[in-house]
Amino acid sequence: TWPYVDIGVPREDWIQTTPLRSRADRPRLQLETFRAARRVKAKVYHFHDLDFLLWGVWLHMAQRRPVVYDCHEHYPEDILTAKAWIPPLLRRPLSATVRVLEDWAVRQLHHCIVVVPSLVDRFKALGAAPVLIRNFSRADAQPDLPHDRALLYAGSISEAYGSETLLGIGRELRRRGSPVPLVLPDRFGA
């Protein structure tokens, strides 16, 4: 159960879906979510899962309502460099496919939220109207930086998201005689 129950939306308006049992179960959940969203006569729909990109475009076409793509990653680039679970032989063709799909979907949806400036530039070049919202994954994770200089990482911290690279940067700065505090205002993942 979601812990944030007092969000000003009556519980009877919530959409409940069956939880995933495995990664192979994702298509079922996507279809279930799409069908539930179609039953709701929302003024706007919002999603942030790359797996839902096609469904988001279909929802926009079916409902004739704005659908916002909330993009948190450079998916085509991350497939090449940061997704170790993807077999190496599949990374380049998958990255190219995701780039084409994401570009097409952004053109269709027009409404995007992004968390880094480079995605603003990329999506604007596609004719979309991206909005940059820098975010932390927890509301209380706003860092208090008492230092003149610090290495700050905001976001979920795990090996898949560069924790080893981050620690390597800190070690290299210390080795070069320029140690700085490492500020991690968020959470460590598995």
Side-chain angles (χ1 to χ4, degrees), residues 152-175:
L152 169 68
Y153 181 91
S156 295
I157 303 158
S158 68
E159 192 171 339
Y161 285 98
S163 62
E164 289 299 319
T165 301
L166 185 65
L167 292 172
I169 291 168
R171 288 185 196 106
E172 181 62 18
L173 287 170
R174 185 178 59 212
R175 187 188 70 73

Side-chain angles (χ1 to χ4, degrees), residues 32-124:
E32 185 179 334
T33 302
F34 175 77
R35 287 178 173 163
R38 293 239 16 224
R39 288 191 298 271
V40 175
K41 301 300 180 200
K43 292 180 181 176
V44 66
Y45 299 88
H46 177 193
F47 74 97
H48 61 85
D49 192 341
L50 179 68
D51 294 353
F52 202 75
L53 201 52
L54 278 176
W55 295 101
V57 172
W58 292 333
L59 184 63
H60 173 62
M61 292 173 170
Q63 301 297 88
R64 297 285 179 220
R65 294 286 187 199
V67 175
V68 177
Y69 173 38
D70 192 346
C71 183
H72 289 230
E73 296 183 48
H74 291 275
Y75 290 109
E77 292 83 0
D78 288 352
I79 288 168
L80 292 174
T81 61
K83 307 285 185 192
W85 55 271
I86 298 174
L89 286 174
L90 295 179
R91 289 181 192 162
R92 193 169 301 282
L94 182 59
S95 173
T97 301
V98 167
R99 167 76 69 165
V100 169
L101 174 65
E102 189 175 51
D103 287 357
W104 172 80
V106 164
R107 285 185 190 105
Q108 304 303 308
L109 297 175
H110 191 65
H111 302 285
C112 308
I113 294 172
V114 297
V115 297
V116 292
S118 60
L119 284 174
V120 170
D121 298 338
R122 181 176 155 220
F123 290 169
K124 272 186 181 176

